[in-house]
Amino acid sequence: MIKVLIADDQELIRQSLQIVLNSKPDIEVSDVAANGQEVIQCIRKNKPDIILMDVRMPKMDGVQCTKMIKENYPQIKIIILTTFDDDEYVFNALKYGASGYLLKGVSMDELSEAIRTVYSGRAMINPDIAAKVLRLFSQMAQTNYTIPVEEKDIRQLTKTEWKIIGQVEKGASNKEIADALSLSEGTIRNYLSTILNKLNLRDRTQLAIWAVQTNAHYNITEE
């Protein structure tokens, strides 16, 4: 069972999500919380696998709560769930380690699938705001937030791996990358795992940020 904690300051949303998710055979709502402070208290009692985190809550908002949780409980995965399609929240939530970001208008089937995706270790971003996130990544080249990667690690990358990194930079899904390179999705997943290990990066989000910031310095050549 995937243990999920629901954090939202609106009781109706908490109850609705709890009822729907508990009806799924592989998902169990372990706790609900109305603000960031309650989230921390719930985690100490009963660590969840996934947290559905509202971004705007009293006492401690979802972004700050995400930062605190990922610093102290890095194994817990967080999906930011919000009605606010806000650039700054997208950037900060992902920067602090959230695995995904969904708007509250998403269907319950899409939400439960997102939970399964994140639980399996993959990042997940609502397609509606993927382009917005990519624009933010592009802007980050002018900010102080950089992803450090050792030069010796970069030299280990193959031409095919560079091609995949170029696709990740564009925001392509595994299926889109597979189609573009005439490879299977499973092969792409294996390549991405190898790339992350070579570069000592945490996840696909960090890889995308790093790719944007270094694109001017590295040319992805055709084989």
Side-chain angles (χ1 to χ4, degrees):
M1 295 288 281
I2 305 172
K3 289 166 55 181
V4 176
L5 187 160
I6 298 167
D8 196 293
D9 63 342
Q10 296 182 52
E11 185 177 2
L12 182 59
I13 290 177
R14 290 197 304 273
Q15 290 178 349
S16 300
L17 289 174
Q18 187 171 17
I19 291 167
V20 172
L21 292 177
N22 275 336
S23 71
K24 305 296 180 183
D26 57 341
I27 297 173
E28 174 194 5
V29 176
S30 56
D31 280 299
V32 294
N35 58 63
Q37 290 181 5
E38 286 186 13
V39 170
I40 302 302
Q41 292 167 3
C42 288
I43 289 174
R44 288 172 182 158
K45 290 186 298 182
N46 187 15
K47 289 188 183 64
D49 299 306
I50 307 279
I51 299 175
L52 293 181
M53 184 86 75
D54 184 23
V55 78
R56 297 199 182 190
M57 297 185 293
K59 298 185 180 178
M60 184 192 299
D61 69 29
V63 174
Q64 287 304 312
C65 193
T66 294
K67 182 175 187 290
M68 183 176 292
I69 291 166
K70 296 304 288 187
E71 285 173 352
N72 294 283
Y73 307 95
Q75 75 280 10
I76 296 176
K77 305 293 199 322
I78 298 171
I79 298 174
I80 297 293
L81 191 63
T82 180
T83 54
F84 296 93
D85 189 5
D86 189 304
D87 288 359
E88 186 177 352
Y89 282 107
V90 174
F91 167 68
N92 286 324
L94 294 174
K95 183 179 75 172
Y96 292 141
S99 296
Y101 188 102
L102 289 170
L103 301 181
K104 284 183 181 176
V106 71
S107 74
M108 288 300 106
D109 283 342
E110 288 175 300
L111 177 58
S112 54
E113 191 53 41
I115 290 170
R116 296 183 189 103
T117 296
V118 168
Y119 182 70
S120 69
R122 291 170 287 156
M124 192 269 147
I125 301 174
N126 188 311
D128 293 342
I129 59 171
K132 190 164 285 192
V133 174
L134 284 169
R135 284 201 301 275
L136 279 167
F137 287 165
S138 298
Q139 293 163 11
M140 279 192 264
Q142 281 97 60
T143 73
N144 294 325
Y145 182 67
T146 58
I147 304 289
V149 173
E150 296 284 337
E151 185 69 32
K152 63 180 175 58
D153 295 332
I154 296 171
R155 287 197 294 268
Q156 297 179 52
L157 295 170
T158 66
K159 287 182 179 179
T160 300
E161 287 166 349
W162 272 117
K163 289 179 183 179
I164 290 170
I165 291 169
Q167 294 291 320
V168 170
E169 180 185 350
K170 295 173 187 174
S173 67
N174 285 356
K175 184 179 187 308
E176 290 168 336
I177 298 173
D179 291 344
L181 302 185
S182 299
L183 297 168
S184 70
E185 285 188 65
T187 299
I188 297 301
R189 281 195 294 271
N190 291 337
Y191 265 116
L192 283 168
S193 178
T194 299
I195 291 167
L196 293 175
N197 285 333
K198 282 184 177 181
L199 300 180
N200 289 310
L201 296 177
R202 183 185 63 221
D203 53 33
R204 190 192 193 101
T205 302
Q206 282 197 332
L207 178 62
I209 296 171
W210 176 79
V212 168
Q213 292 178 331
T214 58
N215 189 45
H217 305 291
Y218 298 95
N219 293 317
I220 302 168
T221 56
E222 294 294 328
E223 285 183 302

